[in-house]
Amino acid sequence: MTITELHQESYGYHDLPGLMSLMTGDEKHGPAATSTLDVLWVLYDRVLRVGPERRADPGRDRFLLSKGHGPMAYYAVLAAKGFVPVEWLTGFGSYDSPLGHHPDRTLIPGVEIGSGSLGHGLPIAVGTVHGLRAQGLTAPAVWTLVGDAELDEGSNHEAIAYAGPAGLEQLHTVVVDNSSATYRLPGGIAARFEAAGWSAVTVDGRDHEALHDAFTTPHPGRPHAVVARVEPRSG
């Protein structure tokens, strides 16, 4: 199938591997990307109130990819949802392509933050919630996706410890847990969030219905964390 034929179709989840296959070259971080694929699809397909036509809408939901060192799945989903042209995917990582090895918010429509340095997304998400509140915008949800190894970063520890007592109900964090973290805590990752006053749930990160249920779980007065357990696919 040609890129033109792909571009003329309406994309679904099963088209994502084909879209990802258009991105070639070194430093693909394939396993890091594929571990996030199902989470990203369910969020963009069924949960996030955002689209290409709402990129500048103050009332849109915000999605912040903190796990930015493996953005292939992110780019594939953005292309599938019409944020970026499918034709961009073939240039992934090249000198003159907007699709770098780390996402750049100034170059890619729909990207809210530049990311890739571990530990940045969740603190920025905390600040985003406060920025929205300062503008009287309490409806938009703020989502950030982090990797389990990122939780070793002190910046994330501080954000977790602050957000619970602050009652940041607009804040949602998805932790893609592929057992790459250096440290483990009794009770698992969800217990860490719960101890800080968050709502938290652990689910199979490949099960779309379980993910959707977890993403839409009510959590009045508290931030919400979803720990998505995955076994990374090769690629």
Side-chain angles (χ1 to χ4, degrees), residues 22-124:
L22 300 175
M23 291 175 274
T24 59
D26 296 331
E27 300 185 24
K28 292 192 300 181
H29 287 290
T34 55
S35 67
T36 67
L37 188 64
D38 298 272
V39 164
L40 287 166
W41 179 255
V42 174
L43 281 173
Y44 273 90
D45 191 54
R46 302 174 61 182
V47 178
L48 294 174
R49 295 169 297 178
V50 67
E53 72 289 346
R54 296 190 64 186
R55 289 189 292 112
D57 181 355
R60 72 189 183 280
D61 288 344
R62 272 69 166 176
F63 174 78
L64 284 57
L65 179 68
S66 187
K67 188 180 168 70
H69 59 285
M72 291 173 59
Y74 187 38
Y75 294 158
V77 170
L78 290 177
K81 292 301 180 181
F83 288 90
V84 302
V86 171
E87 287 78 4
W88 284 13
L89 299 179
T90 57
F92 167 71
S94 61
Y95 177 77
D96 58 352
S97 172
L99 304 183
H101 293 124
H102 294 175
D104 187 328
R105 70 177 183 83
T106 68
L107 299 177
I108 308 171
V111 171
E112 298 281 359
I113 62 169
S115 60
S117 297
L118 298 181
H120 283 63
L122 185 51
I124 294 174

Side-chain angles (χ1 to χ4, degrees), residues 53-214:
E53 72 289 346
R54 296 190 64 186
R55 289 189 292 112
D57 181 355
R60 72 189 183 280
D61 288 344
R62 272 69 166 176
F63 174 78
L64 284 57
L65 179 68
S66 187
K67 188 180 168 70
H69 59 285
M72 291 173 59
Y74 187 38
Y75 294 158
V77 170
L78 290 177
K81 292 301 180 181
F83 288 90
V84 302
V86 171
E87 287 78 4
W88 284 13
L89 299 179
T90 57
F92 167 71
S94 61
Y95 177 77
D96 58 352
S97 172
L99 304 183
H101 293 124
H102 294 175
D104 187 328
R105 70 177 183 83
T106 68
L107 299 177
I108 308 171
V111 171
E112 298 281 359
I113 62 169
S115 60
S117 297
L118 298 181
H120 283 63
L122 185 51
I124 294 174
V126 169
T128 299
V129 170
H130 279 301
L132 291 170
R133 286 185 172 186
Q135 300 172 73
L137 297 171
T138 57
V142 178
W143 290 81
T144 184
L145 189 158
V146 306
D148 58 327
E150 283 192 81
L151 297 183
D152 293 350
E153 301 291 335
S155 54
N156 276 331
H157 173 77
E158 293 176 2
I160 294 168
Y162 170 80
L168 300 187
E169 185 177 343
Q170 288 170 265
L171 179 62
H172 306 74
T173 298
V174 185
V175 182
V176 174
D177 180 9
N178 56 10
S179 300
S180 61
T182 303
Y183 303 107
R184 288 286 169 180
L185 295 176
I189 292 174
R192 178 176 181 178
F193 284 88
E194 290 170 339
W198 290 56
S199 163
V201 61
T202 301
V203 296
D204 180 348
R206 303 293 188 193
D207 185 328
H208 289 198
E209 291 305 318
L211 285 169
H212 182 261
D213 288 346

